[in-house]
Amino acid sequence: MNRKTSQNKLVFAFLKSVSVSGIILVALLSESVIATPKPSEIGFLLGISNKQPTEFKKPDFLLHQNTIIAQNNSNSEADRLSQEGYQLFQQGTAESLRAALEKWEAARQLYRAAGDKGKEALMLMGMGRINSDLGEKQKALDYYNQALPLYRAVGNRGGEATTLNNIGSVYDSLGEKQKALNYYNQALPLYRAVGNRGGEATTLNNIGTVYNSLGQKQKSLDYYNQALPLLQAVGDRRTEATTLNNIGSVYDDLGEKQRALDYYNQALPLYRAVGDRRGEATTLGSIGLVYNSLGEKQKALDYYNQALPLHRAVGDRSGEASTLHNIGLVYDSLGEKQKALDYYNQALPLSRAVGDRSGEASTLHNIGLVYNSLGEKQQALDYYNQALPLSRAVGDCGGEAATLNNIGSVYDSLGEKQQALDYYNQALPLLRAVGDRTGEAKTLNNIGLMYDSLGKKQQALDYYNQALPLSRAVGDRRTEAITLHNIGLVYNSLGEKQKALDYYNQALPLSRAVGDRTGEASTLNNIGGVYY
């Protein structure tokens, strides 16, 4: 008597974590089905990454200006307010920053009345910086755009360069990457012309950050590595720490986790040495992301929980939102779905409040992923469809691809294979455009699954065989194991039992090596099915 074997097809959950970027974790779900094999759910988990542009973070520049103010007794009341504001600014708490804002606004009015354009511009710069730190990005732009013509009017090219850099930084944080590059590239020659190596390094760092977010990793590293020796030469430890953090982030994205940790651990003591709690919090979050991607969930939580109170202490709502999101991500991966939702729902209004559309998109995406895993497919689609236009608006091709993949997954689970295929095929060129070979391999695997389920076996094999070398090239053994497993399934369904066994037996040790017990069980089950 002929018996049908139980066959488990393994597919990817592309989960989205927030790098207060990129795909940082793959969750594999399997579904055991008798007679008719079905793929498991697919999801991207995006992390909010901690790549940071540097805005007006050179206290020596501000201190130099204040020294000039102190020597000029023509407006002693304004000078006193300016100095008091600077002392409050240095404290770095949300309360002290707001108090500094009041002092500088009062000083600005006095300088304006006295016709002192240079000092008025300096106050506007400080006010812009504080508003940016507090998440008031449009207000920050307003202040910077008032400062810019004042610096030009007095021929202060250094001040002009810093203002252009800071405007670029705000546009960068709003997702307007090309606009950010335009401003940074205006700032760079001005810094060089006045011999300001610190400002030059800061701008190089920021250009690197834009290229990183656009997926141009090598170009990003080139700019960071131009910035680093300049920062070391001028002794700017704060921006040196930021650049080390950003280099670590690139290596993290490239899968070089230990190298990433090395750079983060160089950045952390520098931030602590200069008392930069915001930078310290960012780096702690970055380290947490690495440990999460390595499967060390408790370690990840430990680092996130060190970062969270620091973000709150300095009023960094964007960083707070990212950290809450990433804590939710850990709980999601541990199967604590309600806890995950609680953290995501704390993160969401904060991202919206500071205008962080990229973070908002990632959180909406991951809420959708939780609902998908709970079987609430329509609710999942609702959240994915809120996330998708936001990812597109900020030019986040990786996030857009992740969401397209997960929408495809929902349609797949609803039996709408052609619609699923359409979404996967929209995701594929985006992943190629940003050079995400890991995501590309997973998407090729998912397209293969759709063709398999549609009975187009040769097409399925074509896609699996495109996915396999990509997984091997990036060292993603889990994805390699799944693809080998799925190739085995195709050969089994074609009656080529020995070929099926060959592929299953290649998949099995890989699943064991990465601790994927679900994948291991599925493959053992299907090997048994061949012999049965």
Side-chain angles (χ1 to χ4, degrees), residues 400-456:
E400 182 184 350
T403 305
L404 289 165
N405 259 292
N406 288 349
I407 293 172
S409 169
V410 174
Y411 284 118
D412 176 15
S413 67
L414 294 172
E416 299 186 39
K417 304 299 182 185
Q418 191 54 54
Q419 207 155 351
L421 198 53
D422 291 344
Y423 279 96
Y424 294 149
N425 279 318
Q426 288 179 63
L428 192 58
L430 293 171
L431 293 163
R432 286 173 170 158
V434 298
D436 182 358
R437 292 187 294 170
T438 301
E440 182 184 351
K442 291 167 187 165
T443 305
L444 287 164
N445 184 84
N446 292 349
I447 293 171
L449 277 162
M450 293 306 94
Y451 282 120
D452 190 2
S453 66
L454 291 169
K456 299 181 179 182

Side-chain angles (χ1 to χ4, degrees), residues 288-404:
L289 279 169
V290 174
Y291 282 120
N292 190 29
S293 70
L294 292 171
E296 298 190 42
K297 305 299 180 182
Q298 191 53 55
K299 247 186 180 176
L301 282 176
D302 291 345
Y303 279 95
Y304 293 149
N305 284 317
Q306 287 178 65
L308 193 57
L310 291 172
H311 284 304
R312 286 172 170 159
V314 299
D316 180 5
R317 291 186 292 172
S318 179
E320 182 184 353
S322 298
T323 306
L324 288 165
H325 178 113
N326 288 345
I327 292 171
L329 181 64
V330 175
Y331 284 118
D332 190 357
S333 68
L334 292 171
E336 298 189 42
K337 302 299 183 182
Q338 192 52 55
K339 220 168 185 181
L341 281 177
D342 291 345
Y343 279 96
Y344 291 150
N345 283 315
Q346 287 178 66
L348 194 57
L350 289 171
S351 293
R352 286 171 170 159
V354 299
D356 180 2
R357 291 184 292 173
S358 180
E360 181 185 353
S362 293
T363 303
L364 287 165
H365 176 115
N366 284 2
I367 293 172
L369 198 60
V370 173
Y371 282 119
N372 192 25
S373 69
L374 294 171
E376 300 187 37
K377 304 298 182 182
Q378 191 53 54
Q379 225 166 335
L381 279 177
D382 290 345
Y383 279 95
Y384 292 150
N385 283 316
Q386 288 178 65
L388 195 57
L390 291 171
S391 293
R392 285 172 172 158
V394 299
D396 179 5
C397 294
E400 182 184 350
T403 305
L404 289 165

Side-chain angles (χ1 to χ4, degrees), residues 66-230:
N66 282 333
T67 303
I68 294 170
I69 290 166
Q71 292 169 351
N72 182 344
N73 295 318
S74 64
N75 201 335
S76 58
E77 176 63 12
D79 298 347
R80 181 185 65 78
L81 289 165
S82 171
Q83 292 283 14
E84 287 176 1
Y86 181 61
Q87 288 162 7
L88 289 162
F89 171 78
Q90 283 186 305
Q91 292 174 28
T93 67
E95 186 180 357
S96 71
L97 290 175
R98 290 191 178 94
L101 200 56
E102 291 179 13
K103 298 281 186 185
W104 283 345
E105 172 59 31
R108 174 215 170 189
Q109 296 294 342
L110 292 172
Y111 288 133
R112 187 176 187 181
D116 192 335
K117 292 180 181 179
K119 292 174 187 174
E120 182 188 354
L122 179 66
M123 296 302 96
L124 287 163
M125 283 288 286
M127 293 159 72
R129 166 69 195 278
I130 288 173
N131 276 283
S132 182
D133 284 353
L134 294 173
E136 302 283 348
K137 302 298 182 182
Q138 192 53 55
K139 271 189 185 175
L141 280 177
D142 292 343
Y143 284 116
Y144 291 150
N145 281 315
Q146 289 177 67
L148 192 58
L150 293 173
Y151 277 130
R152 286 173 171 159
V154 298
N156 185 336
R157 290 189 293 171
E160 181 185 350
T162 297
T163 309
L164 289 164
N165 179 78
N166 289 2
I167 293 171
S169 179
V170 174
Y171 281 121
D172 191 357
S173 69
L174 293 172
E176 298 190 43
K177 304 300 181 183
Q178 194 52 56
K179 229 173 188 180
L181 275 179
N182 290 341
Y183 279 95
Y184 292 150
N185 283 316
Q186 289 178 64
L188 196 57
L190 289 171
Y191 278 131
R192 286 173 172 157
V194 298
N196 185 337
R197 290 186 295 169
E200 179 186 351
T202 292
T203 307
L204 288 165
N205 179 79
N206 291 351
I207 293 171
T209 299
V210 174
Y211 282 121
N212 191 17
S213 68
L214 294 172
Q216 297 183 42
K217 304 298 180 185
Q218 193 52 56
K219 211 167 187 183
S220 172
L221 282 176
D222 291 345
Y223 278 94
Y224 292 150
N225 285 315
Q226 287 179 62
L228 205 52
L230 291 171

